[in-house]
Amino acid sequence: MRKKSDGDRSTSLHDVTIVDVADEAGVSYATVSRVINNKDHVSPEKRERVLRAMAQLGYVANLQARSLAGGSSHVVGLLVNYLSSSYTIEIMRGIDEVLQTHHYDLVLYTTHTRKTKESAYVARLTRHLADGLLLILPQETTSYLDALRQRRFPHVLVDYLSDGAYAPSVATTNFQGAYDAMNYLLELDHRRIGFITGGRETGCAQQRLEGYQAALKDHGLPYDPQLVYYGKFLQPQGYQGAQTLLNLADPPTAIFASNDSMAFGVMEAARERGLHLPEDLSILGFDDIPQAAQVHPPLTTVHQPLNKMGQRAAELLLDYMADPLAPIERIELPTDLIIRQSCQRRSER
Amino acid sequence: MRKKSDGDRSTSLHDVTIVDVADEAGVSYATVSRVINNKDHVSPEKRERVLRAMAQLGYVANLQARSLAGGSSHVVGLLVNYLSSSYTIEIMRGIDEVLQTHHYDLVLYTTHTRKTKESAYVARLTRHLADGLLLILPQETTSYLDALRQRRFPHVLVDYLSDGAYAPSVATTNFQGAYDAMNYLLELDHRRIGFITGGRETGCAQQRLEGYQAALKDHGLPYDPQLVYYGKFLQPQGYQGAQTLLNLADPPTAIFASNDSMAFGVMEAARERGLHLPEDLSILGFDDIPQAAQVHPPLTTVHQPLNKMGQRAAELLLDYMADPLAPIERIELPTDLIIRQSCQRRSER
DNA sequence: TTGAAAGCGCTAACAT
DNA sequence: ATGTTAGCGCTTTCAA
């Protein structure tokens, strides 16, 4: 016949409910609920007693019950298509940082770029599992975006190109970033500049390609489709793209990759061909993931504030969760050309 | 006055409960529950009707309610101390892969290496939020491991060094891996080998250090504490460690870092000092994260099957969830020395 | 085989 | 200010 001992409480993870807390504090359990949710109309004295009882019993809220009962689940859903890239991780860290300080939990779904999964997960998440939804690089938005908006379900998209539809989102100035990068290369006297683009379905890849084209045009240079290789943001495609471009009869003197990973692939290929970097080939990336500074030569690249994108997305989501009727906002963060050592003035030959 | 139209159903994410399904199918909602949970004692005919109704209405189970009522939440909790390292991500991918095929959701908690958070999160997660728990690189296990075991709450630790206590876990042969690496370096005639270790509190760092020491001893070489720098698995500490070691009166000719990130830091430092790699300094890492093959020179390192670790951990967890009384198992995966180009025979001077 | 009904732990009216 | 109570959607006895 054992009684509740202190030792028992501290080590046991056993279920302590608000009823237990209420008993211990000698109040009704509605009062406990009020204290937990920081509501008004609780005398300081009782609040104090409840707080003490909670601490003593080691009370931990049951989120399921809370959200079932109509409260918030304090969970934010995060939909990601692919877990592996640095790009994703950096954004996730930003998200995690702000969510954590606001005591929100993160439920993670990876779609593995299977489009059908996206809407299935959205349905799962929005059925009370989560209070809000964050989507990184969403692909198949048309199937659920309208519903989300209609239901006023708080959501924010990261790196979503609104093709017509307007949605709460944060992105960066992809076009301008690519344009700036190209200007730099052109000022370095490069005239044949290869471009390795990302997946056609992603808006940001599209915008970067447009930036590439616009810069060419503004410098009175022709657009040569041969110089564009279609990748999918993965390193091997950068490698393959470089091989293809470098095998051209009139090969480029510089290659601009649509993200850093592919730029690394370009470096691999160049090195394998015995080229010296950056003397024989200038290479430029996009993203500025941590490794960009660590490769040799350090990669000149267009910095995207990935971490900050995550933060801003989470903050915006928090706003919507506080006020679902807040106006739809699209945040665009500036990119920044980071000049390191992977580009050089075109050598006269 | 609109009726339920097909168009409405397909786009609406509105709450369809088992009651709706029951109505549509003309059965009690207990029967619907039976069908959902694949229980016996349902006539094929009614089962069929329910299934059709579910599909028609686009029913999605409310996980909160399900788990509140005593069913399983189909959620697995994942505790991670730091989101940023490749190490973590690779393991997470493995976990995600198998969990996904088993239709489990992942709730992610990052402790940011704040130890107090660990037990708080464990409490959160195990209070019905999750059916099982995965912990990567747990730090403060003593406070909750016993309780977990007592309650038979399914859990698996990744890279946990059982200091006495035995727990369900998966790890790699850290000692042997380090030992093998050292052998390689010693066979390359290196006699003064610096070691940059990871956090003292992590078991794997400890084991690698022991492997380092054992190899030295087996070769009849003295252990010089000066040659060991204490880092925390982060790149800047590799940089700092290299600076420190290289400033020694009798500096090492090779540096073995306890993980790849720190090895990259060593590379930075070496390069900054004008050293040629690998001629002037041999560098060896641990982990074999993807970038290891991409840096220059490609890093010789001890391969840990990170992805596989995640997979095995998830599989083991699934086993425990199916049978909480299954015997405690500790899986140890083999490491593998990957020889690339960052090490060289010690040059005679 | 099926249905009715009692909770799971909690929030949010509604009373008092 | 505080207590009472009706659910939230579901699983699981218990009856029928």
Side-chain angles (χ1 to χ4, degrees), chain A residues 28 30-31 34 41-43 46 68-69:
Chain A
S28 76
T31 300
R34 289 191 186 98
H41 309 300
V42 178
S43 70
K46 290 209 171 180
L68 225 211

Side-chain angles (χ1 to χ4, degrees), chain B residues 222-349:
Chain B
Y223 170 64
D224 179 357
Q226 278 209 328
L227 250 22
V228 175
Y229 181 88
Y230 285 82
K232 286 174 178 301
F233 286 132
L234 266 19
Q235 178 154 343
Q237 292 135 24
Y239 178 90
Q240 194 48 54
Q243 298 289 17
T244 304
L245 294 173
L246 263 13
N247 279 337
L248 250 31
D250 187 7
T253 58
I255 293 181
F256 179 17
S258 208
N259 77 344
D260 290 346
S261 293
M262 293 198 297
F264 297 152
V266 173
M267 284 186 164
E268 272 189 283
R271 202 114 52 195
E272 200 176 291
R273 295 170 78 103
L275 262 32
H276 288 274
L277 301 180
E279 297 83 355
D280 300 330
L281 181 70
S282 285
I283 300 175
L284 212 151
F286 207 113
D287 278 355
D288 192 27
I289 59 178
Q291 300 101 286
Q294 298 158 20
V295 291
H296 187 71
L299 185 68
T300 291
T301 187
V302 180
H303 175 79
Q304 287 206 93
L306 296 173
N307 191 68
K308 174 144 261 156
M309 284 166 74
Q311 289 179 14
R312 299 293 284 116
E315 285 163 4
L316 189 54
L317 184 67
L318 252 15
D319 289 347
Y320 287 124
M321 294 196 299
D323 173 18
L325 277 70
I328 293 178
E329 211 173 321
R330 178 175 171 84
I331 297 175
E332 223 170 51
L333 265 22
T335 53
D336 203 5
L337 181 64
I338 306 291
I339 297 181
R340 286 196 270 253
Q341 295 152 44
S342 65
C343 296
Q344 203 174 68
R345 181 164 297 277
R346 182 175 57 131
S347 51
E348 285 72 22
R349 310 200 178 193

Side-chain angles (χ1 to χ4, degrees), chain A residues 19-263:
Chain A
V19 177
D20 299 324
V21 176
D23 286 354
E24 178 82 24
V27 299
S28 76
Y29 78 100
T31 300
V32 176
S33 174
R34 289 191 186 98
V35 172
I36 291 170
N37 295 291
N38 251 307
K39 303 265 181 180
D40 298 335
H41 309 300
V42 178
S43 70
E45 183 250 347
K46 290 209 171 180
R47 182 181 298 273
E48 184 51 43
R49 273 196 354 238
V50 169
L51 254 18
R52 208 171 11 244
M54 282 173 52
Q56 202 168 117
L57 265 28
Y59 170 78
V60 180
N62 181 325
L63 297 183
Q64 327 283 327
R66 179 181 290 183
S67 90
L68 225 211
S72 83
S73 65
H74 263 245
V75 164
V76 165
L78 175 60
L79 234 71
V80 159
N81 57 34
Y82 190 49
L83 202 51
S84 180
S85 77
S86 276
Y87 164 84
T88 311
I89 304 306
E90 288 298 315
I91 294 175
M92 278 177 66
R93 279 185 50 214
I95 290 170
D96 178 58
E97 279 168 36
V98 351
L99 251 30
Q100 184 138 128
T101 68
H102 289 262
H103 304 288
Y104 272 87
D105 296 340
L106 210 51
V107 178
L108 178 71
Y109 284 86
T110 56
T111 60
H112 297 279
T113 62
R114 299 266 286 95
K115 292 181 185 172
T116 50
K117 285 189 180 171
E118 228 174 80
S119 44
Y121 286 157
V122 169
R124 273 281 255 313
L125 248 4
T126 56
R127 289 186 61 78
H128 275 253
L129 214 191
D131 292 344
L133 194 57
L134 248 17
L135 298 97
I136 299 182
L137 226 39
Q139 309 276 314
E140 198 56 7
T141 51
T142 43
S143 61
Y144 53 79
L145 222 47
D146 279 342
L148 248 27
R149 175 163 30 233
Q150 272 173 31
R151 292 177 49 202
R152 299 261 166 217
F153 190 90
H155 62 286
V156 174
L157 314 187
V158 178
D159 252 338
Y160 159 70
L161 177 65
S162 53
D163 41 349
Y166 206 57
S169 53
V170 359
T172 53
T173 54
N174 286 294
F175 175 92
Q176 192 61 42
Y179 189 89
D180 292 344
M182 283 297 289
N183 260 348
Y184 171 68
L185 248 21
L186 289 162
E187 275 162 21
L188 250 29
D189 277 340
H190 291 283
R191 285 300 168 266
R192 282 191 64 76
I193 302 174
F195 187 70
I196 301 182
T197 179
R200 293 166 202 256
E201 62 287 354
T202 55
C204 52
Q206 187 55 35
Q207 294 177 312
R208 289 172 203 174
L209 177 56
E210 284 166 15
Y212 166 83
Q213 293 168 326
L216 245 27
K217 189 175 174 193
D218 290 355
H219 276 72
L221 256 25
Y223 169 64
D224 180 357
Q226 278 210 327
L227 250 21
V228 176
Y229 181 89
Y230 285 82
K232 285 174 179 297
F233 285 133
L234 266 22
Q235 178 155 343
Q237 292 135 25
Y239 178 90
Q240 194 49 54
Q243 297 290 17
T244 304
L245 295 173
L246 262 14
N247 279 337
L248 252 30
D250 188 6
T253 59
I255 294 181
F256 178 19
S258 209
N259 77 343
D260 289 346
S261 292
M262 294 198 296

